[in-house]
Amino acid sequence: MKDFSCFLNGFTLKYPQNKDFSMNYIDAHCHLLDENEIQLARTTGIENIICNATNPNDWEKVLALKNVIHAIGIHPWYVGDLNENAFQALENLLI
């Protein structure tokens, strides 16, 4: 099994390339905001992706992604920067 490396969003990602391996990979926590990034991740053998949105600027971008599991919320780093309108908007998205 060889490693697949790519440079994405300022980080070097290493995934095993395992087309013949009997396991399915799930990326259970990522912050990919672009369909091209999702496709690149899938070429490494990742079957399912849980894509996290951490602030109001990310919510619509993540919700627009196809074939991923969307996780929408507010990361604690951003809580102090938001007003009540942001929390109401999040509630409206989730209901």
Side-chain angles (χ1 to χ4, degrees), residues 3 6-7 13-14 21-22 29-30 33-35 39-41 46 53 64-65 67 72 83 85 92 95:
D3 281 343
C6 66
F7 189 72
L13 305 176
K14 287 190 113 172
F21 200 65
S22 62
H29 186 119
C30 73
L33 298 176
D34 179 282
E35 289 292 342
Q39 290 302 95
L40 181 60
I46 296 174
L65 295 172
N67 300 313
I72 308 300
N83 61 31
N85 292 337
N92 293 340
I95 294 178

Side-chain angles (χ1 to χ4, degrees), residues 31 33 52-63 71-82 86-87 89-90 93:
H31 299 275
L33 298 176
N52 299 284
T54 60
N55 65 70
N57 296 325
D58 292 348
W59 297 341
E60 295 299 329
K61 294 173 189 172
V62 168
L63 289 172
I72 308 300
I74 298 172
H75 191 283
W77 289 348
Y78 302 109
V79 169
D81 298 332
L82 301 175
F87 295 97
L90 176 61
L93 275 176

